[in-house]
Amino acid sequence: MSARETDRTAIAARLAAAVGRINRRARTDSASLGYGIVSALATIEREGPLRPGDLSRLEVVTKPTMTRILTELEQRGFIEREADPRDGRAFMVSATEAGVAAVEAARSQRTGIVAELIHDLPEDDVAAIAGALDALERIAQGDRTQEPHTS
């Protein structure tokens, strides 16, 4: 393994650990929606209407797991089912107004928690985090080769 690969592996390990800890700290109490449910609902809001199988692929979960998530979302009134216009045997799911509001509330709550986590950091640290966001967002979208955005 080259020195460059070793450096990237060490960076990847630190990044994965830090992101995992931040995510755990940013999760809200157990009475609120879980991360997987919010993630699926946000994907439905952004990409919908979607077939359950397409949603499970986007969320990288098994079909039985997605079935449980969709059942909970439907029971809470956050999604609605409609016939798939291309295949009458299948259905599509889309977010309701209550679902959109739930995603916005969850995002706001997580943003507030993360804002508290970085509040007391020195300006240089906040600037370093801000400088890494474009690359992190590209990685999160699965695009590791795209050139950085210039504004």
Side-chain angles (χ1 to χ4, degrees):
M1 187 179 289
S2 72
R4 179 174 186 252
E5 290 171 331
T6 301
D7 289 347
R8 287 182 181 240
T9 300
I11 290 167
R14 289 180 61 197
L15 177 61
V19 167
R21 285 191 302 270
I22 291 167
N23 273 330
R24 283 188 296 280
R25 292 181 71 185
R27 288 187 183 141
T28 57
D29 63 54
S30 60
S32 66
L33 295 175
Y35 178 77
I37 291 172
V38 171
S39 179
L41 185 55
T43 299
I44 293 166
E45 176 195 13
R46 184 179 62 252
E47 305 287 335
L50 291 167
R51 286 177 143 194
D54 294 335
L55 181 59
S56 67
R57 279 188 290 285
L58 288 169
E59 289 295 301
V60 193
V61 299
T62 64
K63 288 181 182 181
T65 297
M66 187 52 62
T67 297
R68 285 191 298 276
I69 290 171
L70 291 175
T71 297
E72 182 165 348
L73 289 171
E74 191 170 31
Q75 288 172 346
R76 291 176 181 245
F78 293 156
I79 62 166
E80 55 192 6
R81 296 175 189 235
E82 54 196 58
D84 184 338
R86 295 172 298 174
D87 180 355
R89 299 167 297 167
F91 67 92
M92 312 281 281
V93 293
S94 56
T96 63
E97 286 184 32
V100 171
V103 169
E104 290 172 2
R107 284 182 183 143
S108 178
Q109 198 168 29
R110 286 178 60 87
T111 297
I113 292 168
V114 174
E116 286 179 26
L117 294 174
I118 68 171
H119 182 267
D120 293 328
L121 287 176
E123 268 315 303
D124 289 349
D125 287 349
V126 175
I129 292 168
L133 287 176
D134 282 344
L136 291 170
E137 288 168 346
R138 286 194 313 275
I139 292 168
Q141 294 299 318
D143 184 0
R144 298 174 296 188
T145 59
Q146 179 180 330
E147 289 298 315
H149 298 284
T150 54
S151 324

